[in-house]
Amino acid sequence: MGYVQEARENHVKKKVEEALRSKMKQKALQQCNHYTAKYAECASGRTLSVVWQCRKQAKELNGCLHQYTNDSVLEEMKKEYMLQQDGKEPPRA
């Protein structure tokens, strides 16, 4: 499959992509809720010291979030969206 054809197949409108990104982030926050709570607990009552005092918790949270918010996850969501759209309505000319 050529690059141009693959790009066309994976292309979605900007608004749709933004909605998919938002959905991806929401799912990531749900999946990483445990790490979010640990970070929030560490950060509670701190201001500047949160940077060095909660470094471990921040790193764990970011690692978890990255599993669910990366380009490959977004591309998979786009493919699923396109498959759903193909089943709903005929393509426009």
Side-chain angles (χ1 to χ4, degrees):
M1 181 181 305
Y3 176 77
V4 173
Q5 183 179 356
E6 186 175 324
R8 284 186 185 141
E9 288 179 3
N10 292 335
H11 177 75
V12 293
K13 292 182 180 179
K14 200 70 160 165
K15 285 186 176 183
V16 172
E17 184 171 339
E18 289 173 10
L20 290 174
R21 282 185 188 278
S22 178
K23 185 176 179 182
M24 177 177 64
K25 290 175 185 178
Q26 289 291 349
K27 183 179 178 184
L29 288 172
Q30 289 173 349
Q31 296 292 328
C32 300
N33 192 37
H34 173 72
Y35 294 107
T36 304
K38 282 175 55 176
Y39 180 75
E41 182 181 326
C42 178
S44 179
R46 299 182 195 273
T47 53
L48 291 176
S49 66
V50 73
V51 175
W52 58 87
Q53 291 291 331
C54 303
R55 184 173 285 147
K56 178 184 172 210
Q57 292 85 346
K59 191 171 186 175
E60 289 173 345
L61 175 58
N62 286 334
C64 181
L65 290 173
H66 184 68
Q67 290 177 356
Y68 301 101
T69 57
N70 57 52
D71 289 339
S72 63
V73 172
L74 182 62
E75 289 303 316
E76 192 62 36
M77 290 178 77
K78 284 181 186 179
K79 286 178 186 177
E80 289 175 19
Y81 174 81
M82 295 299 285
L83 288 172
Q84 289 174 354
Q85 294 305 306
D86 286 344
K88 287 183 182 178
E89 60 187 37
R92 296 180 184 170

Coordinates of all heavy atoms in Angstrom, one line a residue:
M1 N 0.9 -1.2 0.0 CA 0.0 0.0 0.0 C 0.9 1.2 0.0 O 1.8 1.3 0.8 CB -0.9 0.0 1.2 CG -1.8 1.1 1.3 SD -2.9 1.2 2.8 CE -3.7 -0.4 2.7
G2 N 0.6 2.2 -0.9 CA 1.4 3.4 -1.0 C 1.1 4.3 0.2 O 0.1 4.3 0.8
Y3 N 2.1 5.2 0.4 CA 2.0 6.2 1.5 C 0.8 7.1 1.3 O 0.1 7.3 2.3 CB 3.3 7.0 1.5 CG 3.3 8.1 2.6 CD1 3.4 7.7 3.9 CD2 3.0 9.4 2.2 CE1 3.4 8.7 4.9 CE2 3.0 10.4 3.2 CZ 3.2 10.0 4.5 OH 3.1 11.0 5.5
V4 N 0.5 7.6 0.1 CA -0.6 8.5 -0.1 C -1.9 7.8 0.2 O -2.8 8.3 0.8 CB -0.5 9.0 -1.6 CG1 -1.8 9.9 -1.9 CG2 0.7 9.9 -1.8
Q5 N -2.1 6.6 -0.3 CA -3.3 5.8 -0.1 C -3.5 5.6 1.4 O -4.6 5.7 1.9 CB -3.3 4.5 -0.8 CG -4.6 3.7 -0.7 CD -4.5 2.4 -1.5 OE1 -3.6 2.1 -2.2 NE2 -5.6 1.6 -1.3
E6 N -2.4 5.2 2.1 CA -2.5 4.9 3.5 C -2.9 6.2 4.3 O -3.7 6.2 5.2 CB -1.2 4.4 4.1 CG -1.2 4.0 5.5 CD 0.1 3.3 6.0 OE1 0.7 2.6 5.2 OE2 0.4 3.5 7.1
A7 N -2.3 7.3 3.9 CA -2.6 8.6 4.5 C -4.1 9.0 4.3 O -4.7 9.5 5.2 CB -1.7 9.7 4.0
R8 N -4.6 8.7 3.1 CA -6.0 9.0 2.9 C -6.9 8.1 3.7 O -7.9 8.6 4.2 CB -6.4 8.8 1.4 CG -5.9 9.9 0.5 CD -6.3 9.7 -0.9 NE -5.8 10.7 -1.7 CZ -5.3 10.5 -3.0 NH1 -5.4 9.3 -3.5 NH2 -4.8 11.5 -3.7
E9 N -6.6 6.9 3.9 CA -7.4 6.0 4.7 C -7.4 6.4 6.2 O -8.4 6.2 6.9 CB -6.9 4.5 4.5 CG -7.2 4.0 3.2 CD -6.7 2.5 3.0 OE1 -6.1 2.0 4.0 OE2 -6.9 2.0 1.9
N10 N -6.3 6.9 6.7 CA -6.2 7.3 8.1 C -6.5 8.7 8.3 O -6.5 9.1 9.5 CB -4.8 7.0 8.6 CG -4.5 5.5 8.6 OD1 -5.4 4.7 8.7 ND2 -3.2 5.2 8.5
H11 N -6.9 9.4 7.3 CA -7.2 10.9 7.5 C -8.6 11.0 8.1 O -9.6 10.4 7.6 CB -7.2 11.6 6.2 CG -7.5 13.0 6.3 ND1 -6.7 13.9 6.8 CD2 -8.6 13.7 5.9 CE1 -7.3 15.1 6.8 NE2 -8.5 15.0 6.2
V12 N -8.7 11.8 9.1 CA -10.0 12.2 9.7 C -10.0 13.7 9.8 O -8.9 14.4 9.9 CB -10.2 11.6 11.1 CG1 -10.4 10.1 10.9 CG2 -9.1 11.9 12.1
K13 N -11.2 14.3 9.9 CA -11.3 15.8 10.1 C -10.6 16.2 11.4 O -10.6 15.5 12.3 CB -12.7 16.2 10.0 CG -13.3 16.0 8.7 CD -14.8 16.5 8.6 CE -15.4 16.2 7.2 NZ -16.7 16.7 7.2
K14 N -10.2 17.5 11.4 CA -9.5 18.0 12.6 C -10.4 17.9 13.8 O -9.9 17.6 14.9 CB -9.2 19.5 12.3 CG -8.1 20.0 13.1 CD -6.8 19.4 12.8 CE -5.6 20.3 13.3 NZ -4.4 19.5 13.3
K15 N -11.7 18.3 13.7 CA -12.6 18.2 14.9 C -12.7 16.8 15.4 O -12.7 16.5 16.6 CB -13.9 18.7 14.5 CG -14.0 20.2 14.5 CD -15.4 20.7 14.3 CE -15.5 22.2 14.3 NZ -16.9 22.7 14.2
V16 N -12.7 15.8 14.5 CA -12.8 14.4 14.9 C -11.6 14.0 15.6 O -11.6 13.3 16.6 CB -13.1 13.5 13.6 CG1 -13.0 12.0 14.0 CG2 -14.5 13.8 13.0
E17 N -10.4 14.4 15.0 CA -9.2 14.0 15.7 C -9.1 14.6 17.1 O -8.6 14.0 18.0 CB -8.0 14.5 14.8 CG -6.7 14.0 15.4 CD -5.5 14.3 14.5 OE1 -5.7 14.4 13.3 OE2 -4.4 14.3 15.0
E18 N -9.5 15.9 17.2 CA -9.5 16.5 18.5 C -10.4 15.8 19.5 O -10.0 15.6 20.7 CB -9.9 18.0 18.4 CG -8.9 18.9 17.8 CD -9.4 20.3 17.5 OE1 -10.5 20.6 18.0 OE2 -8.7 21.0 16.8
A19 N -11.5 15.3 19.0 CA -12.5 14.6 19.9 C -11.8 13.2 20.3 O -12.0 12.8 21.4 CB -13.8 14.3 19.2
L20 N -11.2 12.6 19.3 CA -10.5 11.3 19.6 C -9.4 11.5 20.6 O -9.2 10.7 21.5 CB -10.0 10.6 18.3 CG -11.1 10.1 17.4 CD1 -10.4 9.6 16.1 CD2 -11.9 9.0 18.0
R21 N -8.6 12.6 20.5 CA -7.6 12.9 21.4 C -8.1 13.1 22.8 O -7.6 12.6 23.8 CB -6.8 14.1 21.0 CG -5.8 13.9 19.9 CD -4.9 15.1 19.7 NE -4.1 14.9 18.5 CZ -2.9 14.3 18.5 NH1 -2.5 13.8 19.6 NH2 -2.3 14.2 17.4
S22 N -9.2 13.8 22.9 CA -9.9 14.0 24.2 C -10.3 12.7 24.8 O -10.1 12.5 26.0 CB -11.0 15.0 24.0 OG -11.7 15.2 25.2
K23 N -10.9 11.9 24.0 CA -11.4 10.6 24.5 C -10.2 9.7 24.9 O -10.3 9.0 26.0 CB -12.2 9.9 23.3 CG -12.8 8.6 23.7 CD -13.6 8.0 22.5 CE -14.2 6.7 22.9 NZ -14.9 6.1 21.8
M24 N -9.1 9.8 24.2 CA -7.9 9.0 24.6 C -7.4 9.5 25.9 O -7.0 8.7 26.8 CB -6.9 9.2 23.5 CG -5.5 8.5 23.7 SD -4.4 8.7 22.4 CE -4.1 10.5 22.3
K25 N -7.4 10.8 26.1 CA -6.9 11.3 27.4 C -7.8 11.0 28.6 O -7.3 10.6 29.6 CB -6.7 12.9 27.3 CG -5.6 13.3 26.4 CD -5.6 14.8 26.2 CE -4.6 15.2 25.2 NZ -4.5 16.7 25.0
Q26 N -9.1 11.0 28.3 CA -10.0 10.6 29.4 C -9.8 9.2 29.8 O -9.8 8.8 31.0 CB -11.5 10.8 28.9 CG -11.9 12.3 28.8 CD -11.9 13.0 30.2 OE1 -11.9 12.3 31.2 NE2 -12.0 14.3 30.2
K27 N -9.7 8.3 28.8 CA -9.4 6.9 29.1 C -8.1 6.7 29.8 O -8.1 5.9 30.8 CB -9.4 6.1 27.8 CG -9.3 4.6 28.0 CD -9.3 3.8 26.7 CE -9.1 2.4 26.9 NZ -9.0 1.6 25.7
A28 N -7.1 7.4 29.4 CA -5.8 7.3 30.1 C -5.9 7.7 31.6 O -5.4 7.0 32.5 CB -4.8 8.2 29.4
L29 N -6.6 8.8 31.9 CA -6.8 9.2 33.2 C -7.6 8.2 34.1 O -7.3 8.0 35.2 CB -7.5 10.6 33.3 CG -6.7 11.8 32.8 CD1 -7.5 13.0 32.7 CD2 -5.5 12.0 33.8
Q30 N -8.6 7.6 33.4 CA -9.3 6.5 34.2 C -8.4 5.3 34.4 O -8.4 4.8 35.5 CB -10.5 6.1 33.3 CG -11.6 7.1 33.3 CD -12.7 6.6 32.3 OE1 -12.6 5.7 31.5 NE2 -13.8 7.4 32.3
Q31 N -7.6 4.9 33.5 CA -6.7 3.8 33.6 C -5.6 4.0 34.6 O -5.2 3.1 35.3 CB -6.1 3.4 32.3 CG -7.1 2.9 31.2 CD -7.8 1.6 31.6 OE1 -7.2 0.7 32.3 NE2 -9.0 1.4 31.2
C32 N -5.2 5.3 34.8 CA -4.1 5.6 35.6 C -4.6 6.3 36.9 O -3.8 7.0 37.6 CB -3.1 6.5 34.9 SG -2.4 5.8 33.4
N33 N -5.8 6.1 37.3 CA -6.4 6.8 38.4 C -5.6 6.5 39.7 O -5.4 7.5 40.5 CB -7.8 6.3 38.6 CG -8.5 7.2 39.6 OD1 -8.3 8.4 39.7 ND2 -9.4 6.6 40.4
H34 N -5.0 5.4 39.9 CA -4.2 5.0 41.1 C -3.0 5.9 41.2 O -2.7 6.5 42.2 CB -3.8 3.6 41.0 CG -2.9 3.2 42.1 ND1 -3.3 3.1 43.4 CD2 -1.6 2.9 42.1 CE1 -2.2 2.7 44.2 NE2 -1.2 2.6 43.4
Y35 N -2.3 6.1 40.0 CA -1.1 6.9 40.0 C -1.5 8.4 40.2 O -0.7 9.2 40.8 CB -0.3 6.8 38.7 CG 0.2 5.4 38.6 CD1 -0.3 4.4 37.7 CD2 1.3 4.9 39.4 CE1 0.2 3.2 37.6 CE2 1.8 3.7 39.3 CZ 1.2 2.8 38.4 OH 1.7 1.5 38.3
T36 N -2.6 8.8 39.7 CA -3.1 10.2 39.8 C -3.3 10.5 41.3 O -2.9 11.6 41.8 CB -4.3 10.5 39.0 OG1 -4.1 10.1 37.6 CG2 -4.8 11.9 39.1
A37 N -4.0 9.6 42.0 CA -4.3 9.7 43.4 C -3.0 9.8 44.2 O -2.9 10.6 45.1 CB -5.1 8.6 43.9
K38 N -2.0 9.0 43.9 CA -0.7 9.0 44.6 C 0.0 10.3 44.4 O 0.5 10.9 45.4 CB 0.2 7.8 44.1 CG -0.2 6.5 44.7 CD 0.6 5.3 44.1 CE 2.1 5.5 44.3 NZ 2.9 4.3 43.8
Y39 N 0.0 10.8 43.2 CA 0.6 12.1 42.9 C -0.1 13.2 43.6 O 0.5 14.1 44.2 CB 0.7 12.4 41.4 CG 1.3 13.7 41.1 CD1 2.7 13.8 41.2 CD2 0.6 14.8 40.7 CE1 3.3 15.1 40.9 CE2 1.2 16.0 40.4 CZ 2.6 16.1 40.5 OH 3.2 17.3 40.3
A40 N -1.4 13.2 43.6 CA -2.2 14.3 44.3 C -2.0 14.2 45.8 O -1.9 15.3 46.4 CB -3.7 14.1 44.0
E41 N -1.9 13.1 46.3 CA -1.6 12.9 47.8 C -0.3 13.5 48.1 O -0.1 14.3 49.1 CB -1.7 11.5 48.2 CG -1.5 11.2 49.7 CD -1.5 9.7 50.0 OE1 -2.3 9.0 49.4 OE2 -0.8 9.3 50.9
C42 N 0.7 13.2 47.3 CA 2.1 13.8 47.5 C 2.1 15.3 47.4 O 2.7 16.0 48.2 CB 3.1 13.2 46.6 SG 4.8 13.8 46.7
A43 N 1.4 15.8 46.4 CA 1.4 17.2 46.1 C 0.6 18.1 47.0 O 0.8 19.3 47.1 CB 0.9 17.5 44.7
S44 N -0.3 17.4 47.8 CA -1.2 18.1 48.7 C -0.4 19.0 49.7 O 0.4 18.5 50.4 CB -2.1 17.1 49.4 OG -3.0 17.8 50.3
G45 N -0.7 20.3 49.7 CA -0.1 21.1 50.7 C 1.3 21.6 50.3 O 1.9 22.4 51.1
R46 N 1.7 21.3 49.1 CA 3.1 21.7 48.7 C 2.9 22.8 47.6 O 1.9 22.9 46.9 CB 3.9 20.5 48.1 CG 4.1 19.4 49.1 CD 5.0 18.4 48.4 NE 5.0 17.1 49.1 CZ 5.8 16.8 50.1 NH1 6.7 17.7 50.5 NH2 5.7 15.6 50.7
T47 N 4.0 23.5 47.4 CA 4.0 24.5 46.3 C 5.2 24.2 45.4 O 5.1 23.2 44.6 CB 4.0 26.0 46.8 OG1 5.1 26.1 47.7 CG2 2.7 26.3 47.5
L48 N 6.3 24.9 45.6 CA 7.4 24.6 44.7 C 8.1 23.3 45.0 O 8.7 22.6 44.1 CB 8.5 25.7 44.9 CG 8.1 27.1 44.4 CD1 9.1 28.1 44.7 CD2 7.8 27.0 42.9
S49 N 8.0 22.8 46.3 CA 8.7 21.6 46.6 C 8.1 20.4 46.0 O 8.7 19.3 45.9 CB 8.7 21.4 48.1 OG 7.4 21.2 48.6
V50 N 6.9 20.5 45.4 CA 6.3 19.4 44.7 C 7.2 18.8 43.6 O 7.2 17.6 43.3 CB 4.9 19.7 44.2 CG1 5.0 20.7 43.0 CG2 4.1 18.5 43.8
V51 N 8.0 19.7 43.0 CA 8.8 19.3 41.9 C 9.8 18.2 42.3 O 10.0 17.2 41.6 CB 9.6 20.6 41.3 CG1 10.6 20.1 40.2 CG2 8.6 21.6 40.7
W52 N 10.5 18.4 43.4 CA 11.5 17.4 43.8 C 10.9 16.4 44.8 O 11.4 15.3 44.8 CB 12.8 18.0 44.3 CG 12.6 19.0 45.5 CD1 12.6 18.6 46.8 CD2 12.4 20.4 45.4 NE1 12.4 19.7 47.6 CE2 12.3 20.8 46.8 CE3 12.4 21.3 44.4 CZ2 12.1 22.2 47.1 CZ3 12.2 22.6 44.8 CH2 12.1 23.1 46.1
Q53 N 10.0 16.8 45.6 CA 9.4 15.8 46.5 C 8.5 14.7 45.9 O 8.5 13.6 46.4 CB 8.6 16.6 47.6 CG 9.4 17.5 48.5 CD 10.3 16.7 49.5 OE1 10.0 15.6 49.8 NE2 11.4 17.3 49.8
C54 N 7.9 15.1 44.8 CA 7.0 14.1 44.2 C 7.5 13.7 42.8 O 6.7 13.2 42.0 CB 5.6 14.8 44.0 SG 4.9 15.4 45.6
R55 N 8.7 13.7 42.6 CA 9.3 13.3 41.3 C 9.0 11.9 41.0 O 8.7 11.6 39.8 CB 10.8 13.6 41.3 CG 11.5 13.3 40.0 CD 12.9 13.7 40.0 NE 13.0 15.1 39.9 CZ 14.0 15.8 40.4 NH1 14.9 15.3 41.1 NH2 14.0 17.2 40.3
K56 N 9.1 11.0 42.0 CA 8.9 9.6 41.7 C 7.4 9.4 41.3 O 7.1 8.7 40.3 CB 9.2 8.8 43.0 CG 8.9 7.3 42.8 CD 9.1 6.5 44.1 CE 8.6 5.1 44.0 NZ 8.1 4.6 45.2
Q57 N 6.5 10.0 42.0 CA 5.1 9.8 41.7 C 4.7 10.4 40.3 O 3.9 9.8 39.6 CB 4.2 10.5 42.8 CG 4.2 9.8 44.1 CD 5.4 10.2 45.0 OE1 6.3 10.9 44.6 NE2 5.3 9.8 46.3
A58 N 5.3 11.5 40.0 CA 5.1 12.2 38.7 C 5.6 11.3 37.6 O 5.0 11.1 36.5 CB 5.8 13.5 38.6
K59 N 6.8 10.7 37.8 CA 7.4 9.8 36.8 C 6.5 8.5 36.6 O 6.3 8.1 35.4 CB 8.8 9.4 37.2 CG 9.6 8.7 36.1 CD 11.0 8.5 36.5 CE 11.8 8.0 35.4 NZ 13.2 7.9 35.7
E60 N 6.0 8.0 37.7 CA 5.1 6.8 37.5 C 3.8 7.2 36.8 O 3.3 6.5 35.9 CB 4.7 6.3 38.9 CG 5.8 5.6 39.6 CD 5.5 5.3 41.1 OE1 4.5 5.8 41.6 OE2 6.2 4.4 41.7
L61 N 3.2 8.4 37.1 CA 2.0 8.8 36.5 C 2.2 9.1 35.0 O 1.5 8.6 34.1 CB 1.5 10.1 37.1 CG 0.3 10.8 36.5 CD1 -0.9 9.8 36.4 CD2 -0.1 12.0 37.2
N62 N 3.3 9.7 34.7 CA 3.6 10.0 33.2 C 3.9 8.7 32.5 O 3.5 8.6 31.3 CB 4.8 10.9 33.1 CG 4.5 12.4 33.5 OD1 3.3 12.8 33.3 ND2 5.5 13.1 33.9
G63 N 4.5 7.8 33.1 CA 4.8 6.5 32.4 C 3.4 5.8 32.1 O 3.3 5.2 31.0
C64 N 2.5 5.8 33.1 CA 1.2 5.2 32.9 C 0.5 5.9 31.8 O -0.1 5.3 30.9 CB 0.5 5.1 34.2 SG -1.2 4.4 34.1
L65 N 0.4 7.2 31.9 CA -0.3 8.0 30.9 C 0.2 7.8 29.5 O -0.6 7.7 28.5 CB -0.3 9.5 31.3 CG -1.1 9.9 32.5 CD1 -0.8 11.3 32.8 CD2 -2.6 9.6 32.3
H66 N 1.5 7.6 29.4 CA 2.1 7.5 28.0 C 1.7 6.1 27.4 O 1.6 6.1 26.2 CB 3.6 7.5 28.1 CG 4.3 7.5 26.8 ND1 4.1 8.5 25.8 CD2 5.0 6.5 26.2 CE1 4.8 8.1 24.7 NE2 5.3 6.9 24.9
Q67 N 1.4 5.1 28.2 CA 0.9 3.9 27.6 C -0.4 4.0 26.9 O -0.7 3.3 25.9 CB 0.7 2.8 28.7 CG 1.9 2.3 29.4 CD 1.5 1.4 30.6 OE1 0.3 1.2 30.9 NE2 2.5 0.8 31.2
Y68 N -1.2 5.0 27.3 CA -2.6 5.1 26.8 C -2.7 6.4 25.9 O -3.7 6.6 25.3 CB -3.6 5.2 27.9 CG -3.6 4.0 28.8 CD1 -3.0 4.0 30.0 CD2 -4.2 2.8 28.3 CE1 -3.0 2.8 30.8 CE2 -4.2 1.7 29.1 CZ -3.6 1.7 30.3 OH -3.6 0.5 31.1
T69 N -1.6 7.2 25.8 CA -1.7 8.4 25.0 C -0.5 8.6 24.2 O 0.4 9.4 24.4 CB -1.8 9.7 25.9 OG1 -0.7 9.7 26.8 CG2 -3.1 9.7 26.7
N70 N -0.4 7.8 23.1 CA 0.7 7.9 22.2 C 0.2 7.8 20.8 O -1.0 7.5 20.6 CB 1.8 6.8 22.5 CG 1.2 5.4 22.4 OD1 0.6 5.0 21.5 ND2 1.5 4.6 23.5
D71 N 1.0 8.0 19.8 CA 0.6 8.0 18.4 C 0.0 6.7 17.9 O -1.0 6.7 17.2 CB 1.7 8.4 17.5 CG 2.2 9.8 17.6 OD1 1.3 10.7 18.1 OD2 3.3 10.2 17.3
S72 N 0.5 5.6 18.4 CA -0.1 4.3 17.9 C -1.5 4.1 18.4 O -2.3 3.6 17.7 CB 0.8 3.1 18.3 OG 0.9 3.0 19.7
V73 N -1.8 4.5 19.7 CA -3.1 4.4 20.2 C -4.1 5.3 19.4 O -5.2 4.9 19.1 CB -3.1 4.8 21.7 CG1 -4.5 4.9 22.3 CG2 -2.3 3.8 22.5
L74 N -3.6 6.5 19.1 CA -4.4 7.5 18.4 C -4.7 6.9 17.0 O -5.9 7.0 16.5 CB -3.8 8.8 18.3 CG -4.6 9.9 17.5 CD1 -5.9 10.2 18.2 CD2 -3.8 11.2 17.4
E75 N -3.7 6.4 16.3 CA -3.9 5.8 15.0 C -4.9 4.6 15.0 O -5.8 4.5 14.1 CB -2.6 5.3 14.4 CG -1.7 6.5 14.0 CD -2.3 7.4 13.0 OE1 -3.0 7.0 12.0 OE2 -2.2 8.6 13.2
E76 N -4.9 3.8 16.1 CA -5.8 2.7 16.2 C -7.2 3.3 16.4 O -8.2 2.7 15.8 CB -5.4 1.8 17.4 CG -6.2 0.5 17.5 CD -5.9 -0.4 16.3 OE1 -4.8 -0.4 15.7 OE2 -6.9 -1.0 15.8
M77 N -7.4 4.3 17.2 CA -8.7 4.9 17.4 C -9.2 5.5 16.1 O -10.4 5.4 15.8 CB -8.6 6.0 18.5 CG -8.4 5.5 19.9 SD -8.2 6.7 21.1 CE -9.9 7.2 21.3
K78 N -8.3 6.1 15.3 CA -8.7 6.7 14.0 C -9.3 5.5 13.1 O -10.3 5.7 12.4 CB -7.6 7.4 13.3 CG -7.2 8.7 13.9 CD -6.1 9.3 13.1 CE -5.6 10.6 13.7 NZ -4.4 11.1 12.9
K79 N -8.5 4.4 13.1 CA -9.0 3.3 12.2 C -10.3 2.8 12.7 O -11.2 2.5 11.8 CB -7.9 2.2 12.3 CG -6.7 2.4 11.5 CD -5.7 1.3 11.7 CE -4.3 1.7 11.0 NZ -3.3 0.6 11.2
E80 N -10.5 2.6 14.0 CA -11.8 2.2 14.5 C -12.9 3.2 14.1 O -14.0 2.8 13.7 CB -11.8 2.1 16.0 CG -11.0 0.9 16.5 CD -10.9 0.8 18.0 OE1 -11.7 1.5 18.7 OE2 -10.0 0.1 18.5
Y81 N -12.6 4.5 14.2 CA -13.6 5.5 13.8 C -14.0 5.4 12.3 O -15.1 5.4 12.0 CB -13.1 6.9 14.1 CG -13.9 8.0 13.6 CD1 -15.1 8.4 14.4 CD2 -13.7 8.6 12.4 CE1 -15.9 9.4 13.9 CE2 -14.5 9.7 12.0 CZ -15.6 10.0 12.7 OH -16.4 11.0 12.2
M82 N -13.0 5.2 11.5 CA -13.2 5.2 10.1 C -14.0 3.9 9.7 O -14.9 4.0 8.9 CB -11.9 5.1 9.3 CG -11.0 6.4 9.4 SD -11.9 7.8 8.8 CE -11.7 7.6 7.0
L83 N -13.7 2.8 10.4 CA -14.5 1.6 10.2 C -16.0 1.8 10.6 O -16.9 1.3 9.9 CB -13.9 0.4 10.9 CG -12.6 -0.1 10.4 CD1 -12.0 -1.2 11.3 CD2 -12.8 -0.7 9.0
Q84 N -16.2 2.5 11.7 CA -17.6 2.8 12.1 C -18.3 3.7 11.1 O -19.4 3.5 10.8 CB -17.6 3.4 13.5 CG -17.2 2.5 14.6 CD -17.1 3.3 15.9 OE1 -17.2 4.5 16.0 NE2 -16.8 2.5 17.0
Q85 N -17.6 4.7 10.6 CA -18.1 5.6 9.6 C -18.5 4.9 8.3 O -19.5 5.2 7.7 CB -17.2 6.8 9.4 CG -17.1 7.7 10.6 CD -18.4 8.1 11.1 OE1 -19.2 8.7 10.4 NE2 -18.6 7.9 12.4
D86 N -17.6 3.9 7.9 CA -17.8 3.2 6.7 C -19.1 2.4 6.7 O -19.8 2.3 5.7 CB -16.7 2.3 6.3 CG -15.4 3.0 5.8 OD1 -15.6 4.2 5.5 OD2 -14.4 2.4 5.8
G87 N -19.5 1.9 7.9 CA -20.7 1.2 8.1 C -21.9 2.0 8.2 O -23.0 1.5 8.0
K88 N -21.8 3.3 8.5 CA -23.0 4.2 8.8 C -23.5 4.9 7.5 O -24.7 4.9 7.3 CB -22.6 5.2 9.8 CG -22.5 4.6 11.2 CD -22.3 5.8 12.2 CE -22.1 5.2 13.6 NZ -21.8 6.3 14.6
E89 N -22.6 5.4 6.8 CA -23.0 6.3 5.6 C -22.2 6.1 4.4 O -21.0 5.7 4.5 CB -23.0 7.7 6.0 CG -21.6 8.3 6.4 CD -21.7 9.7 6.9 OE1 -22.6 10.0 7.6 OE2 -20.8 10.4 6.6
P90 N -22.7 6.2 3.2 CA -21.9 6.1 2.0 C -20.9 7.2 1.9 O -21.2 8.3 2.4 CB -23.0 6.1 0.9 CG -24.1 6.9 1.5 CD -24.1 6.6 3.0
P91 N -19.8 6.9 1.3 CA -18.8 8.0 1.1 C -19.3 9.1 0.2 O -20.1 8.9 -0.7 CB -17.6 7.3 0.4 CG -18.1 5.9 0.0 CD -19.4 5.7 0.7
R92 N -18.9 10.3 0.5 CA -19.3 11.5 -0.2 C -18.3 11.7 -1.4 O -17.1 11.5 -1.2 CB -19.3 12.7 0.7 CG -20.4 12.6 1.8 CD -20.3 13.8 2.6 NE -21.3 13.6 3.7 CZ -21.4 14.4 4.7 NH1 -20.6 15.5 4.8 NH2 -22.3 14.2 5.7
A93 N -18.8 12.2 -2.5 CA -18.0 12.5 -3.6 C -17.4 13.9 -3.6 O -17.8 14.7 -2.9 CB -18.8 12.4 -4.9

